[in-house]
Amino acid sequence: MTNRILAVVTSMLCAATFAFPQGDGGYEPIPPAKASAGKLGGGGGYTPGWLFMDVDALNQEIVAAGGAPFDDGRIFLQGGQGYAYILLVENLRVGGMGMSGSRSTSRLEVSTNVRRDVDLNVGYGGVTVEYTLAVVPRLDVTIGTLLGGGGMSLTLRRDEGSAMTWDDTWGDIGGTGAVTEFTRKMDGSFFIYQPSVTVEVALLRWLGIRAGVGYLGMAGGSWELDGHYDLLGVPDGIDASGWMINAGIYVGTFIY
């Protein structure tokens, strides 16, 4: 999970025309101040979300290896986002976001006492570019995208339920016989893109919340085994692409 930036979001209010007394007892109107052309400042805070990835291709591999498939592709992710409005383009803001999460599955064969575990981890981060549309006071709609990097990792474990000892572990490395208890890790790295639409509400002048929907896309993947070896022949469809539901809570200064 990434930490992100505390910031300030401000917008100018139009001042209403009013009068003040003159020496002759009359009143002279004062012209209203000109409002700002766009939003200023920035913001940051905590961003949780649900990722709904397609696990069909992954489940086929897990079942073929004797493990338990994932019942669905829902993964809870947590992270943070920070942003700042740029003055070159009205209501356009640039920032960064990072999120990560995991879930696991396990299967025990009672007849052989062999257990097979699969841990799935998803994480990504990148630059966000968003455009804000003011709907009514306190309420904005933001359209944008994230571009960056990240991916998924799979940790596979198999054991026979016996106690693990120092000598047996070294014996597995130095021996020539079959190893029945082991752990392997596969890491997939991808280019990440995430278009999204978000609704933002200013609850107080220093507190805002947001909720939205997006799509997490992964492209151009490469895989590595145990952190050292290139992993070839990975089937198509083994990635964490899927729809996302995002939320968030932000602190700063919100003028409405």
Side-chain angles (χ1 to χ4, degrees), residues 51 77 97-99 122-128 145-152 188-195 215-221 239-242 244:
L51 169 64
L77 304 181
M97 183 173 72
M99 300 187 74
V122 177
Y124 65 93
V127 175
T128 58
T145 189
L146 174 144
L147 299 175
M152 60 182 290
S189 299
F190 298 84
F191 170 74
I192 302 296
Y193 59 94
Q194 186 184 31
Y215 181 82
L216 177 63
M218 295 189 173
D239 61 38
S241 298
M244 284 198 66

Side-chain angles (χ1 to χ4, degrees), residues 18-30:
F18 64 94
F20 67 96
Q22 303 297 313
D24 59 1
Y27 291 87
E28 179 179 340
I30 298 178

Side-chain angles (χ1 to χ4, degrees), residues 27-49:
Y27 291 87
E28 179 179 340
I30 298 178
K34 184 177 180 180
S36 171
K39 291 181 176 293
L40 304 173
Y46 169 64
T47 304

Side-chain angles (χ1 to χ4, degrees), residues 187 222-234:
D187 293 289
S222 63
W223 287 83
E224 192 175 68
L225 179 64
D226 294 336
H228 293 285
Y229 312 103
D230 291 336
L231 185 61
L232 306 178
V234 179

